[in-house]
Amino acid sequence: MSRHDLVVAPLVPAQHWDLERIVGELHEARRRWREAQQRNREYGGREFPSRDALKAIAEGLRGSLFPMRLGPADLRQESEDFYVGHTLDAALNGLLDQVRLELTYTARHQQLGTADLEQRAVTIVREFAASLPALRGVLDSDVEAAYRGDPAARSVDEVLLCYPGILAIVHHRLAHQLYNLGVPLLARILAEIAHSETGIDIHPGARIGNSFFIDHGTGVVIGETAVIGDRVRLYQAVTLGAKRFETEEDGSLQKGAPRHPVVEDDVVIYAGATILGRITIGRGSSIGGNVWLTRSVPPGSQVTQARSHQESSQQGPASAG
């Protein structure tokens, strides 16, 4: 069919969809939600950080960290510093706008003071910017770990350009800085952008050491209070999760309590392993594929699915929590 054969359909009148009724019902649904959440007052303008804005900011930050590989296609090395300065300035100013939104939102809904809000926002972004050179060094160790850990990798450039685990850890390193600086919503949005693109779900609160490598990556889940040492390698579908959730007296879930594993240095965890609870995987251990583990193991342990099942049967059934 040529473009001359295309038929432009006539617009259907709004009455055909009964839009007036639907718009009214949606208005009523918003009213009920705001009333239930005690958000009846309209403040005007955007109240929440923007996922689209943060996606653009993340692209700018990635390009600033790795300009010749994640920057624009026509960038030349002689103009690298100019590009980094220009791009970083735009990204940080955009980030400042988003930090203001989160701080204002938090102050409004937690009834906190707003007198020094602007200075707090500037301080957060200034400290975040100052952390970028050191963060680049840590990311270099992650890229090198991926290259050394995968015989299919032909260069560090291939790793940075192609590996979803590297994209996920770049976002995590950025998000973790923001999380520690007191803007957890922005951090979570950055993490979820990478989750959407890679299938790797790393909570920004997780503490991850240097030279971290996720091979393949799809389905990896790392919880908020997980602690991971240096030179750790994970494969696809690994879960570092919580075994059970502690509750308050009113039955609500406790927030922030340590509930995810501690993985010490030089540990390898193979595909499909599920490690739950505040347990410790000792240094230099190897956890086999599809293992279900809810107990600590000492340094140098070799845990396979068959051995794990045998020991579990000897100890009795573990609680799912």
Side-chain angles (χ1 to χ4, degrees), residues 113-132:
T114 60
D116 62 343
L117 188 147
E118 178 63 21
Q119 185 55 48
R120 285 166 53 206
V122 171
T123 299
I124 286 171
V125 177
R126 182 187 298 120
E127 292 184 12
F128 175 81
S131 73
L132 292 175

Side-chain angles (χ1 to χ4, degrees), residues 287-309:
I287 309 301
N290 298 313
V291 165
W292 178 280
L293 195 58
T294 58
R295 57 180 175 80
S296 295
V297 298
S301 297
Q302 304 290 317
V303 182
T304 65
Q305 189 178 21
R307 185 180 303 171
S308 179
H309 284 171

Side-chain angles (χ1 to χ4, degrees), residues 5-288:
D5 298 323
L6 293 176
V7 177
V8 179
L11 292 175
V12 177
Q15 295 90 330
H16 189 80
W17 314 120
D18 200 6
L19 281 184
E20 185 175 355
R21 177 184 62 81
I22 295 171
V23 169
E25 290 178 358
L26 287 172
H27 178 89
E28 181 63 17
R30 293 194 304 273
R31 185 198 65 77
R32 289 195 302 269
W33 165 258
R34 287 168 179 161
E35 185 176 84
Q37 300 297 320
Q38 299 180 345
R39 296 179 183 175
N40 291 326
R41 181 181 172 186
E42 294 293 343
Y43 294 93
R46 186 177 184 95
E47 185 177 13
F48 305 101
S50 163
R51 184 184 176 98
D52 288 341
L54 281 165
K55 188 172 184 179
I57 290 164
E59 289 177 358
L61 292 171
R62 296 197 310 255
S64 299
L65 287 166
F66 299 98
M68 296 304 296
R69 286 173 283 183
L70 301 183
D74 59 350
L75 182 64
R76 295 182 177 275
Q77 196 164 356
E78 54 266 27
S79 57
E80 198 175 22
D81 286 342
F82 176 81
Y83 163 77
V84 170
H86 176 76
T87 303
L88 197 53
D89 185 52
L92 293 174
N93 275 288
L95 180 61
L96 179 60
D97 290 339
Q98 301 305 306
V99 170
R100 286 192 191 106
L101 284 170
E102 176 164 351
L103 294 181
T104 302
Y105 168 80
T106 301
R108 186 175 293 148
H109 292 286
Q110 295 184 8
Q111 298 182 343
L112 304 174
T114 60
D116 62 343
L117 188 147
E118 178 63 21
Q119 185 55 48
R120 285 166 53 206
V122 171
T123 299
I124 286 171
V125 177
R126 182 187 298 120
E127 292 184 12
F128 175 81
S131 73
L132 292 175
L135 188 146
R136 163 67 200 245
V138 175
L139 287 170
D140 284 344
S141 78
D142 298 325
V143 172
E144 290 171 0
Y147 174 68
R148 291 193 307 268
D150 185 1
R154 296 180 180 273
S155 69
V156 291
D157 303 298
E158 177 188 354
V159 165
L160 185 57
L161 289 167
C162 302
Y163 281 38
I166 293 299
L167 176 60
I169 194 62
V170 169
H171 272 246
H172 175 73
R173 302 289 188 198
L174 295 169
H176 187 66
Q177 289 294 116
L178 293 173
Y179 183 90
N180 288 338
L181 287 169
V183 279
L185 179 56
L186 296 188
R188 191 64 187 269
I189 294 171
L190 269 185
E192 289 304 320
I193 291 170
H195 182 195
S196 298
E197 294 186 20
T198 66
I200 298 169
D201 183 1
I202 309 177
H203 192 285
R207 290 158 43 198
I208 300 177
N210 295 352
S211 301
F212 181 60
F213 176 33
I214 302 175
D215 200 359
H216 304 296
T218 304
V220 166
V221 178
I222 301 174
E224 178 188 18
T225 63
V227 179
I228 298 175
D230 295 335
R231 300 173 300 280
V232 169
R233 184 163 78 244
L234 308 183
Y235 288 83
Q236 67 270 24
V238 166
T239 296
L240 303 180
K243 183 180 179 182
R244 58 170 57 89
F245 302 109
E246 301 296 332
T247 59
E248 305 289 357
E249 291 183 1
D250 63 359
S252 62
L253 295 179
Q254 287 186 6
K255 303 292 186 178
R259 59 195 181 277
H260 300 101
V262 176
V263 180
E264 295 183 344
D265 298 345
D266 302 301
V267 169
V268 179
I269 305 176
Y270 287 96
T274 299
I275 302 174
L276 302 179
R278 193 59 165 189
I279 63 175
T280 298
I281 308 302
R283 178 173 185 155
S285 294
S286 176
I287 309 301

